[in-house]
Short mmCIF file of all heavy atoms in Angstrom, two decimals:
data_model
loop_
_atom_site.label_atom_id
_atom_site.label_comp_id
_atom_site.label_asym_id
_atom_site.label_seq_id
_atom_site.Cartn_x
_atom_site.Cartn_y
_atom_site.Cartn_z
N LEU S 185 -0.88 186.57 -6.47
CA LEU S 185 -1.39 185.64 -5.46
C LEU S 185 -2.85 185.84 -5.13
O LEU S 185 -3.57 184.88 -4.85
CB LEU S 185 -0.58 185.78 -4.17
CG LEU S 185 0.80 185.14 -4.17
CD1 LEU S 185 1.45 185.38 -2.81
CD2 LEU S 185 0.72 183.66 -4.47
N TYR S 186 -3.32 187.10 -5.14
CA TYR S 186 -4.71 187.33 -4.74
C TYR S 186 -5.69 186.83 -5.78
O TYR S 186 -6.88 186.78 -5.54
CB TYR S 186 -4.96 188.81 -4.38
CG TYR S 186 -4.47 189.80 -5.41
CD1 TYR S 186 -5.17 190.03 -6.58
CD2 TYR S 186 -3.29 190.52 -5.19
CE1 TYR S 186 -4.71 190.93 -7.53
CE2 TYR S 186 -2.82 191.42 -6.14
CZ TYR S 186 -3.54 191.63 -7.29
OH TYR S 186 -3.09 192.52 -8.24
N ASN S 187 -5.15 186.44 -6.97
CA ASN S 187 -6.04 185.91 -8.00
C ASN S 187 -6.08 184.39 -8.05
O ASN S 187 -6.51 183.81 -9.03
CB ASN S 187 -5.61 186.43 -9.38
CG ASN S 187 -6.00 187.88 -9.58
OD1 ASN S 187 -6.96 188.35 -8.96
ND2 ASN S 187 -5.27 188.59 -10.40
N PHE S 188 -5.58 183.75 -7.00
CA PHE S 188 -5.67 182.29 -6.94
C PHE S 188 -6.95 181.88 -6.23
O PHE S 188 -7.33 182.47 -5.22
CB PHE S 188 -4.47 181.70 -6.19
CG PHE S 188 -3.22 181.58 -7.04
CD1 PHE S 188 -2.47 182.70 -7.38
CD2 PHE S 188 -2.80 180.35 -7.53
CE1 PHE S 188 -1.33 182.59 -8.17
CE2 PHE S 188 -1.66 180.23 -8.31
CZ PHE S 188 -0.92 181.35 -8.64
N GLY S 189 -7.60 180.87 -6.75
CA GLY S 189 -8.77 180.29 -6.09
C GLY S 189 -8.36 179.10 -5.26
O GLY S 189 -7.19 178.98 -4.85
N GLU S 190 -9.30 178.20 -5.03
CA GLU S 190 -9.04 177.01 -4.22
C GLU S 190 -7.83 176.24 -4.75
O GLU S 190 -7.66 176.07 -5.95
CB GLU S 190 -10.28 176.11 -4.26
CG GLU S 190 -10.15 174.87 -3.42
CD GLU S 190 -11.43 174.03 -3.39
OE1 GLU S 190 -12.34 174.29 -4.20
OE2 GLU S 190 -11.51 173.12 -2.56
N THR S 191 -6.99 175.75 -3.83
CA THR S 191 -5.84 174.92 -4.19
C THR S 191 -6.28 173.47 -4.32
O THR S 191 -7.11 173.01 -3.54
CB THR S 191 -4.77 175.03 -3.08
OG1 THR S 191 -4.44 176.41 -2.91
CG2 THR S 191 -3.53 174.25 -3.41
N VAL S 192 -5.74 172.74 -5.30
CA VAL S 192 -6.12 171.33 -5.45
C VAL S 192 -4.90 170.44 -5.34
O VAL S 192 -3.76 170.89 -5.45
CB VAL S 192 -6.83 171.07 -6.81
CG1 VAL S 192 -8.04 171.98 -6.98
CG2 VAL S 192 -5.86 171.22 -7.97
N SER S 193 -5.16 169.16 -5.10
CA SER S 193 -4.09 168.17 -5.03
C SER S 193 -4.29 167.11 -6.10
O SER S 193 -5.42 166.66 -6.31
CB SER S 193 -4.09 167.48 -3.64
OG SER S 193 -3.76 168.42 -2.64
N LEU S 194 -3.23 166.73 -6.77
CA LEU S 194 -3.29 165.64 -7.74
C LEU S 194 -2.59 164.43 -7.13
O LEU S 194 -1.46 164.56 -6.64
CB LEU S 194 -2.57 166.01 -9.04
CG LEU S 194 -3.42 166.70 -10.12
CD1 LEU S 194 -3.80 168.10 -9.66
CD2 LEU S 194 -2.68 166.75 -11.44
N VAL S 195 -3.26 163.28 -7.15
CA VAL S 195 -2.65 162.07 -6.61
C VAL S 195 -2.28 161.12 -7.76
O VAL S 195 -2.87 161.19 -8.84
CB VAL S 195 -3.59 161.34 -5.63
CG1 VAL S 195 -3.87 162.21 -4.41
CG2 VAL S 195 -4.89 160.94 -6.32
N PHE S 196 -1.29 160.28 -7.50
CA PHE S 196 -0.93 159.26 -8.49
C PHE S 196 -2.13 158.36 -8.72
O PHE S 196 -2.72 157.83 -7.76
CB PHE S 196 0.23 158.40 -7.96
CG PHE S 196 1.58 159.04 -8.11
CD1 PHE S 196 2.33 159.38 -6.98
CD2 PHE S 196 2.12 159.28 -9.36
CE1 PHE S 196 3.59 159.95 -7.11
CE2 PHE S 196 3.38 159.86 -9.49
CZ PHE S 196 4.11 160.19 -8.37
N TRP S 197 -2.51 158.19 -9.97
CA TRP S 197 -3.59 157.26 -10.30
C TRP S 197 -3.09 155.82 -10.18
O TRP S 197 -1.91 155.53 -10.40
CB TRP S 197 -4.06 157.50 -11.75
CG TRP S 197 -4.99 158.64 -11.88
CD1 TRP S 197 -5.56 159.37 -10.88
CD2 TRP S 197 -5.47 159.22 -13.10
NE1 TRP S 197 -6.37 160.36 -11.41
CE2 TRP S 197 -6.32 160.29 -12.77
CE3 TRP S 197 -5.26 158.94 -14.46
CZ2 TRP S 197 -6.97 161.07 -13.74
CZ3 TRP S 197 -5.89 159.71 -15.42
CH2 TRP S 197 -6.74 160.77 -15.06
N THR S 198 -4.01 154.94 -9.83
CA THR S 198 -3.70 153.51 -9.88
C THR S 198 -4.60 152.90 -10.97
O THR S 198 -5.40 153.60 -11.58
CB THR S 198 -4.00 152.83 -8.53
OG1 THR S 198 -5.42 152.87 -8.30
CG2 THR S 198 -3.29 153.53 -7.39
N ASP S 199 -4.46 151.60 -11.18
CA ASP S 199 -5.29 150.94 -12.20
C ASP S 199 -6.77 151.07 -11.86
O ASP S 199 -7.62 151.14 -12.74
CB ASP S 199 -4.93 149.46 -12.30
CG ASP S 199 -3.54 149.28 -12.91
OD1 ASP S 199 -3.07 150.24 -13.56
OD2 ASP S 199 -2.95 148.21 -12.73
N THR S 200 -7.07 151.12 -10.56
CA THR S 200 -8.47 151.07 -10.16
C THR S 200 -8.98 152.39 -9.55
O THR S 200 -10.15 152.52 -9.26
CB THR S 200 -8.67 149.98 -9.08
OG1 THR S 200 -7.71 150.22 -8.04
CG2 THR S 200 -8.45 148.59 -9.67
N TRP S 201 -8.09 153.36 -9.36
CA TRP S 201 -8.50 154.60 -8.71
C TRP S 201 -7.96 155.79 -9.48
O TRP S 201 -6.75 156.08 -9.45
CB TRP S 201 -8.01 154.62 -7.26
CG TRP S 201 -8.64 155.69 -6.42
CD1 TRP S 201 -9.97 155.90 -6.21
CD2 TRP S 201 -7.95 156.71 -5.68
NE1 TRP S 201 -10.16 156.99 -5.39
CE2 TRP S 201 -8.94 157.51 -5.04
CE3 TRP S 201 -6.61 157.03 -5.48
CZ2 TRP S 201 -8.63 158.59 -4.23
CZ3 TRP S 201 -6.29 158.11 -4.67
CH2 TRP S 201 -7.30 158.88 -4.04
N LYS S 202 -8.82 156.45 -10.23
CA LYS S 202 -8.41 157.60 -11.03
C LYS S 202 -9.33 158.79 -10.73
O LYS S 202 -10.17 159.15 -11.55
CB LYS S 202 -8.49 157.24 -12.53
CG LYS S 202 -7.56 156.11 -12.99
CD LYS S 202 -7.65 155.92 -14.50
CE LYS S 202 -7.14 154.57 -14.96
NZ LYS S 202 -5.72 154.36 -14.73
N PRO S 203 -9.16 159.40 -9.58
CA PRO S 203 -10.04 160.51 -9.19
C PRO S 203 -9.90 161.70 -10.15
O PRO S 203 -8.81 161.98 -10.64
CB PRO S 203 -9.57 160.88 -7.79
CG PRO S 203 -8.17 160.38 -7.70
CD PRO S 203 -8.13 159.15 -8.56
N GLU S 204 -11.01 162.37 -10.40
CA GLU S 204 -11.01 163.49 -11.36
C GLU S 204 -11.56 164.77 -10.75
O GLU S 204 -11.66 165.79 -11.42
CB GLU S 204 -11.89 163.14 -12.57
CG GLU S 204 -11.39 162.00 -13.41
CD GLU S 204 -12.11 161.93 -14.76
OE1 GLU S 204 -13.06 162.71 -14.97
OE2 GLU S 204 -11.73 161.08 -15.58
N SER S 205 -11.95 164.72 -9.48
CA SER S 205 -12.66 165.87 -8.92
C SER S 205 -11.84 167.16 -8.95
O SER S 205 -12.38 168.25 -9.03
CB SER S 205 -13.12 165.56 -7.49
OG SER S 205 -12.00 165.25 -6.69
N PHE S 206 -10.51 167.02 -8.92
CA PHE S 206 -9.68 168.22 -8.96
C PHE S 206 -9.88 168.99 -10.27
O PHE S 206 -9.78 170.22 -10.29
CB PHE S 206 -8.20 167.85 -8.77
CG PHE S 206 -7.60 167.09 -9.90
CD1 PHE S 206 -6.97 167.76 -10.94
CD2 PHE S 206 -7.65 165.70 -9.94
CE1 PHE S 206 -6.42 167.07 -12.00
CE2 PHE S 206 -7.10 164.99 -10.99
CZ PHE S 206 -6.49 165.68 -12.02
#
Side-chain angles (χ1 to χ4, degrees):
Chain S
L185 284 180
Y186 50 76
N187 285 334
F188 279 74
E190 182 176 12
T191 303
V192 304
S193 294
L194 271 69
V195 296
F196 280 115
W197 279 353
T198 66
D199 290 341
T200 53
W201 193 56
K202 298 184 199 295
E204 295 193 355
S205 59
F206 68 91

